[in-house]
Amino acid sequence: MSEQKLEVFNVLNFLNSGYELEDILSEDNFGTFQSGQDCIDYLVEEGYLSGNEGTLTAEEISKKYTVADLKELLKENGLKVSGKKQELVERIFPVLNEGAGAGDYELTDKAHEFLKENEWIDLYMFALVAFRFEDYETYVEGSSAGKIETALNFCDEILSRALVANQFLVFIDALSAKAHVYAYDGDYASFMDYDLQRYILGLNPISMDAQTYASYDVINEANIINLRNVLEKLDMGSLKKRFDKIWNICNIRNTTVPKKTCYKILQKALDGADIEELNFDIKEKYFNKKFGI
């Protein structure tokens, strides 16, 4: 049920932002729904969408036409006639509903109320998708704090548990998530601080086993892109001073890549150096011997 709730929110939220329904459902990825039309049918039946009365639903088409009828219609329109009935229905659907596009649907009051009640899902999609939706939904239900504070508290709890359990990848995922919560709230200074912390600790892991290291990217490309975008668009002051401050906050007790080298590598990455090559060179020079690979 939670997964379907997430899907419904995303579709309604995109519609509310001005996207066309055809574009939203054109990715062929419908999760709990077998098809885009099944998703539309559900939203109409549940009272989230109204309008487009002239449109036949997939269920109505299936009841109205036999397999032989559908194949004849498909043949008349130069379309493929093989497949199961559901496939035939999906194929003929746009033909039978030509002129009554999905864009004619409108969000109902129920849909707007649903979006307002579940606006925390938008923040989840922006910052917290690395973690299970069901876990965050449960956390939100048990929190009396505001949307941003709840998300930050959730990240802090994950950070604490990951440290205790020596789950380094979870730890840096939580740092990145916390950075994005701040970005969602428009606090780009804090976003920069936590993304720098994620970068620094990426080069100086708190813990690392052989299995994790086998597929580990020392420099995370998305992390570098985020830092570059903020630096290009906003006046964040001296990067070196901010880097030095965050290095001290990280309280690194067992350095893998020295501080000066970390900063030089960061500058190279921000200037457009090949991330894959940087990762290879750093592993060869600093990581392989230390972690016994």
Side-chain angles (χ1 to χ4, degrees):
M1 185 62 185
S2 290
E3 183 181 353
Q4 190 173 81
K5 180 179 182 179
L6 176 60
E7 293 162 6
V8 168
F9 179 89
N10 285 333
V11 172
L12 295 179
N13 197 34
F14 276 119
L15 280 172
N16 197 42
S17 299
Y19 288 86
E20 295 294 332
L21 193 53
E22 294 94 333
D23 296 331
I24 299 168
L25 300 176
S26 65
E27 298 299 323
D28 295 328
N29 183 13
F30 310 110
T32 59
F33 299 103
Q34 291 185 352
S35 68
Q37 186 54 42
D38 281 344
C39 180
I40 295 172
D41 291 347
Y42 175 85
L43 294 175
V44 172
E45 290 166 5
E46 292 297 315
Y48 293 117
L49 293 180
S50 64
N52 216 358
E53 290 82 1
T55 301
L56 289 170
T57 66
E59 184 179 359
E60 288 170 339
I61 293 172
S62 184
K63 289 179 180 179
K64 184 175 181 180
Y65 298 97
T66 65
V67 170
D69 293 333
L70 292 168
K71 288 186 175 182
E72 184 62 31
L73 287 169
L74 289 165
K75 185 177 180 180
E76 290 175 2
N77 287 276
L79 297 172
K80 184 179 175 183
V81 298
S82 61
K84 297 179 180 179
K85 187 172 185 179
Q86 181 63 29
E87 295 174 289
L88 305 182
V89 170
E90 290 296 321
R91 206 172 295 144
I92 200 63
F93 177 82
V95 175
L96 295 179
N97 289 304
E98 188 175 2
D104 296 334
Y105 286 112
E106 293 183 354
L107 270 68
T108 63
D109 290 341
K110 181 180 179 180
H112 287 291
E113 183 178 346
F114 175 83
L115 288 174
K116 185 176 181 180
E117 289 177 353
N118 296 283
E119 60 179 358
W120 57 269
I121 297 178
D122 188 50
L123 174 54
Y124 169 82
M125 292 299 299
F126 184 87
L128 301 166
V129 288
F131 308 106
R132 279 168 35 96
F133 177 74
E134 291 84 354
D135 292 341
Y136 189 60
E137 181 180 29
T138 300
Y139 192 86
V140 169
E141 290 172 352
S143 174
S144 59
K147 181 170 65 174
I148 299 299
E149 187 179 352
T150 295
L152 292 173
N153 291 341
F154 178 77
C155 291
D156 285 339
E157 289 197 14
I158 293 175
L159 288 167
S160 297
R161 290 200 301 268
L163 275 176
V164 172
N166 287 324
Q167 296 175 319
F168 179 66
L169 295 184
V170 175
F171 182 81
I172 56 176
D173 277 348
L175 282 177
S176 182
K178 192 168 182 179
H180 280 76
V181 172
Y182 280 116
Y184 184 91
D185 197 37
D187 184 352
Y188 291 101
S190 296
F191 169 80
M192 172 70 89
D193 288 348
Y194 278 95
D195 244 19
L196 274 176
Q197 193 171 346
R198 191 253 179 267
Y199 166 80
I200 290 169
L201 290 175
L203 273 70
N204 294 275
I206 298 168
S207 63
M208 181 72 68
D209 56 37
Q211 184 177 2
T212 300
Y213 182 65
S215 59
Y216 181 60
D217 286 330
V218 180
I219 300 176
N220 179 272
E221 188 168 9
N223 179 226
I224 296 300
I225 292 171
N226 290 335
L227 290 170
R228 185 188 296 128
N229 286 340
V230 172
L231 288 168
E232 288 177 352
K233 295 176 182 178
L234 300 172
D235 181 10
M236 302 301 293
S238 169
L239 177 61
K240 182 63 168 61
K241 287 183 179 180
R242 187 175 290 271
F243 178 89
D244 289 342
K245 181 190 77 171
I246 299 304
W247 178 278
N248 293 332
I249 290 173
C250 289
N251 193 26
I252 299 169
R253 297 177 181 177
N254 189 6
T255 302
T256 302
V257 182
K259 179 181 175 182
K260 288 184 179 179
T261 305
C262 275
Y263 185 71
K264 288 180 180 178
I265 294 169
L266 175 61
Q267 288 182 309
K268 287 181 180 180
L270 292 173
D271 289 340
D274 186 279
I275 301 298
E276 188 174 341
E277 289 182 7
L278 284 177
N279 273 317
F280 179 82
D281 292 343
I282 295 167
K283 278 192 169 185
E284 284 284 303
K285 188 171 182 179
Y286 297 101
F287 276 72
N288 288 354
K289 184 178 180 180
K290 178 174 181 177
F291 293 103
I293 306 300

